[in-house]
Amino acid sequence: MSVKFDVKMKEEYMVDFMLRHTYRSFTGIAGVVIGMGAAMLAITVIGKGDYQAAIPQLLIAILFLVVTPRNTIKRAKQQVQNSEMFKNSLEYEFTEEGVTVRQNGVEALNEWSEFHKAIETSQSIVLYVTRLRAIIFPKA
């Protein structure tokens, strides 16, 4: 028995995936900790009246807490817009052997043994084939 369905990748699914992927990794968590630490240090320095000394800490906080997530969102949107793979729907078929992906007459089978991790985000179910390669199934 098999189950087939089509998926049209949208920007919001990729943004959801990339933000989760980024902020569940060591570097993503470290970035948030560094940004929060810099923000708290800036607040402490401002509280002492030394506004000029707070500028470097504020810049670090903005870099880690505003610029990094904004760039991640921008990169996710560009990936969907610029990728030929996402211009058309992908057909997925679940069988006993694994997950077959079809598009434009080309197909690839990912056997169940190839998957090493499955996660759930707010908008998708994600099956990881490698640490950086995954199949995203939007819940919608």
Side-chain angles (χ1 to χ4, degrees), residues 83-97:
S83 175
E84 285 297 318
M85 184 174 82
F86 297 135
K87 291 198 187 312
N88 299 313
S89 294
L90 294 158
E91 179 187 300
Y92 293 100
E93 181 177 12
F94 284 77
T95 63
E96 291 181 18
E97 290 81 34

Side-chain angles (χ1 to χ4, degrees), residues 48-93:
K48 293 180 181 179
D50 194 357
Y51 300 105
Q52 191 169 7
I55 291 173
Q57 287 83 19
L58 287 173
L59 292 175
I60 291 170
I62 289 169
L63 174 68
F64 283 100
L65 299 176
V66 177
V67 174
T68 300
R70 189 167 183 267
N71 283 346
T72 301
I73 291 166
K74 183 178 177 184
R75 206 170 56 248
K77 289 179 178 181
Q78 286 175 340
Q79 186 172 345
V80 172
Q81 292 169 356
N82 298 335
S83 175
E84 285 297 318
M85 184 174 82
F86 297 135
K87 291 198 187 312
N88 299 313
S89 294
L90 294 158
E91 179 187 300
Y92 293 100
E93 181 177 12

Side-chain angles (χ1 to χ4, degrees), residues 27 33 44 80 92 120 122:
T27 54
V33 169
T44 302
V80 172
Y92 293 100
E120 180 180 11
S122 63

Side-chain angles (χ1 to χ4, degrees), residues 29-44:
I29 293 168
V32 170
V33 169
I34 291 168
M36 294 298 290
M40 289 188 291
L41 184 58
I43 291 168
T44 302

